[in-house]
Amino acid sequence: SEAVPALIDLLDDDAPAIRAHAARALGPIGAPARQADPALAKLIGDRTRLVGRQAVEALRAIKPGAKVGLRLLAKLLKDADPAVRGRALDALAEAGKPAVPFLIKALGDDETCHWACLVLSQIGPDAAEAVPALVEVFVCDRPETCREAILALAEIGAAAKGAVGP
């Protein structure tokens, strides 16, 4: 944890490899590295994809609070890089119930709806508050997204009983 300030400084280095290695080094430090959250968040949009991926992985390991982390991760569902998007999906699923409000919002966006359904399915019964939004999704015109919404409702289980009629 003593290295955190120096690693944060390296996140601003001109060399992409140094930025990526600094981000990678912060992840295993965990909670004591939370002061790096803002700097890591800036790196997610780095022009070098490896740097962005390492920043997402570090944030996932650090587990920033909902204020920073979940909002940022939900935005990453739109990232063009499948590796970044995949890491964001995993991190949101790991966050569980606290991620549900962000995922409900993502259900309303055509670009992120499919991914939000996947994560809600992984969260399962703890995603019960998403049932009304998922019901709206499964009547959409995108069969693959409709299927994922139905699978998410199935994973939510008994709390999704109200979706049976529609």
Side-chain angles (χ1 to χ4, degrees):
S1 62
E2 300 89 34
V4 170
L7 289 168
I8 291 172
D9 288 343
L10 292 173
L11 294 174
D12 212 17
D13 197 90
D14 290 336
I18 291 176
R19 292 192 306 275
H21 285 294
R24 184 180 177 126
L26 284 162
I29 296 171
R34 282 197 179 134
Q35 61 187 317
D37 291 352
L40 288 166
K42 286 181 191 173
L43 286 183
I44 289 172
D46 196 278
R47 64 188 176 281
T48 304
R49 288 190 175 195
L50 176 62
V51 175
R53 290 177 187 163
Q54 292 299 329
V56 171
E57 198 62 37
L59 284 167
R60 181 177 171 200
I62 292 169
K63 297 185 184 350
K67 194 173 191 180
V68 174
L70 294 175
R71 186 173 296 120
L72 179 63
L73 291 169
K75 283 183 182 180
L76 290 176
L77 295 179
K78 289 185 177 189
D79 199 282
D81 184 347
V84 169
R85 198 171 46 242
R87 287 180 172 101
L89 290 167
D90 290 341
L92 286 164
E94 286 174 9
K97 191 172 185 160
V100 173
F102 297 97
L103 294 166
I104 291 170
K105 187 174 180 184
L107 289 172
D109 183 325
D110 286 345
E111 228 179 312
T112 58
C113 183
H114 181 84
W115 305 115
C117 288
L118 290 171
V119 176
L120 289 165
S121 185
Q122 289 181 351
I123 294 173
D126 283 343
E129 70 183 274
V131 169
L134 284 165
V135 169
E136 288 182 31
V137 170
F138 81 69
V139 294
C140 72
D141 59 351
R142 296 176 317 274
E144 68 285 346
T145 302
C146 297
R147 180 192 67 236
E148 294 306 328
I150 292 167
L151 292 171
L153 288 163
E155 290 298 326
I156 290 170
K161 192 188 307 188
V164 172

